[in-house]
Amino acid sequence: MGKATYWQRGETIDFKNETGAKIEANTIITLGSRVGIAGTDINPGEVGSLHVTGVFKMDKIAEEIAAGSDVYLDPSGKITKAASTPGEEEGPETPHVKAGFAAEKAETSDTYAIVKINA
């Protein structure tokens, strides 16, 4: 049987900025097939906090999203209910990263959605 050693609570995780630019607090970061939200500014080469659970107000595209619907981060960095973007001229679709679910209804005219991330 495998063993595990407690590391940290898990609401936030340590995240190393391996880019050449500062990651500003509240920036949405993709982690493979999940998202995280920078808890603080993270300078290049440094480690900072990344929220991987919680409910966040996030910019969205102009569409209605029902409460409880799965939502995704599109390539522009906005929330959408579409799991992918259709390809051009029958090319392959571009998959979106699942962000979580809509914690409340968002109207088409709303510029943001309330999202429970990684759920």
Side-chain angles (χ1 to χ4, degrees):
M1 182 175 292
K3 294 191 175 221
T5 302
Y6 180 83
W7 189 257
Q8 64 191 55
R9 289 180 55 123
E11 291 88 1
T12 63
I13 60 172
D14 295 334
F15 179 78
K16 184 172 184 178
N17 179 356
E18 295 183 355
T19 72
K22 178 172 78 173
I23 297 172
E24 295 182 6
N26 302 316
T27 298
I28 303 168
I29 305 293
T30 56
L31 294 170
S33 62
R34 305 201 181 284
V35 298
I37 313 297
T40 60
D41 290 347
I42 310 171
N43 291 316
E46 293 185 0
V47 174
S49 65
L50 198 64
H51 297 281
V52 292
T53 187
V55 179
F56 293 85
K57 180 179 177 180
M58 303 168 88
D59 291 341
K60 73 168 194 64
I61 65 170
E63 65 183 2
E64 183 178 297
I65 300 175
S69 297
D70 286 342
V71 293
Y72 302 85
L73 187 67
D74 78 359
S76 74
K78 293 186 177 184
I79 293 298
T80 179
K81 61 185 177 185
S84 62
T85 299
E88 293 182 22
E89 297 184 26
E90 299 187 32
E93 292 187 343
T94 302
H96 298 162
V97 175
K98 185 172 180 193
F101 69 86
E104 56 185 57
K105 181 179 179 180
E107 299 291 344
T108 302
S109 60
D110 293 336
T111 59
Y112 64 87
I114 304 298
V115 177
K116 167 67 171 109
I117 64 171
N118 298 325

